[in-house]
Amino acid sequence: FNGSTRQYLNLSLVFKYWGPDRFEKDSKVLDEYLSSIFASKDCDRKKYQAKSMPKEINLRSAWNIVKQLPIWRSYKDYKKFRANPERSKEEYIKIHKETMNKLKQLEKRGFSKEEGISAFFEELMETMIPCIFEAMGGIFVVLGLFSKLSKGRTEGKTKEEREEYDA
């Protein structure tokens, strides 16, 4: 659920398989405050992990969720951006412009009372998804660099080294 400045997620099922230490490392690049929460002694895996999986979660239901994730597409977009960043950037700009034009048209048209707001919202999402996925391909390429810079900034051996990464 969303708070005024944060999003909250129940990690009790995740803590059955991974501990806070994994999330502490992974989140450090994006959110040092979140990382410090995972690193704190209050984030106790044994205390917060679920005792068992809900009966609704089984291999079949998990597979149905995984099939909906665009894993292969994300991987291909990542490889494309990594192989040729300049061309990929140009393609992204083109997709972004097309998406913005479609969104402006949808905004002008608005939703119809016959179809309802849900159908309009679904149409908006279908319009934005290609642009979002294309952007994610580029983001995954630079996340490695941000991770390296963040690590140097927080774990540098000397103050000068940490400041150099911070600059």
Side-chain angles (χ1 to χ4, degrees):
F1 67 94
N2 292 324
S4 59
T5 61
R6 294 262 176 225
Q7 292 181 331
Y8 297 88
L9 176 67
N10 182 344
L11 294 172
S12 61
L13 293 175
V14 174
F15 280 172
K16 285 185 68 59
Y17 305 101
W18 297 291
D21 55 327
R22 175 182 177 139
F23 298 103
E24 184 251 331
K25 292 175 194 164
D26 291 345
S27 63
K28 199 169 206 166
V29 174
L30 300 175
D31 189 339
E32 287 195 32
Y33 178 68
L34 176 63
S35 178
S36 71
I37 292 171
F38 284 123
S40 76
K41 64 181 174 145
D42 294 325
C43 191
D44 182 358
R45 179 181 182 180
K46 288 190 171 49
K47 180 178 178 182
Y48 291 110
Q49 79 180 20
K51 304 289 183 246
S52 63
M53 297 293 273
K55 62 182 178 183
E56 297 85 14
I57 296 181
N58 54 44
L59 187 57
R60 186 178 188 181
S61 65
W63 179 246
N64 284 333
I65 291 169
V66 169
K67 287 190 317 188
Q68 293 177 30
L69 299 173
I71 296 169
W72 183 246
R73 178 182 175 157
S74 296
Y75 175 74
K76 288 187 338 188
D77 288 343
Y78 163 78
K79 296 289 277 186
K80 179 179 74 171
F81 266 90
R82 194 160 178 208
N84 192 333
E86 281 299 315
R87 189 174 79 219
S88 298
K89 177 185 167 188
E90 290 169 11
E91 288 176 21
Y92 169 73
I93 290 170
K94 180 182 173 199
I95 290 170
H96 183 266
K97 284 180 183 177
E98 291 170 359
T99 300
M100 293 308 292
N101 288 334
K102 288 178 187 175
L103 288 173
K104 285 177 186 175
Q105 291 171 358
L106 288 171
E107 182 182 22
K108 283 181 185 176
R109 189 194 80 202
F111 77 95
S112 71
K113 291 180 181 177
E114 295 81 35
E115 290 182 11
I117 191 86
S118 294
F120 183 68
F121 181 75
E122 193 170 314
E123 193 174 359
L124 288 171
M125 291 305 296
E126 286 176 12
T127 300
M128 291 187 296
I129 284 174
C131 188
I132 291 169
F133 286 153
E134 194 74 20
M136 286 173 45
I139 289 168
F140 287 132
V141 171
V142 297
L143 273 181
L145 173 63
F146 285 135
S147 181
K148 183 179 178 184
L149 291 173
S150 180
K151 188 174 183 178
R153 187 175 54 83
T154 58
E155 298 175 14
K157 290 184 173 82
T158 65
K159 181 180 179 186
E160 290 81 19
E161 186 179 348
R162 290 188 300 274
E163 287 176 350
E164 179 68 26
Y165 278 100
D166 204 23

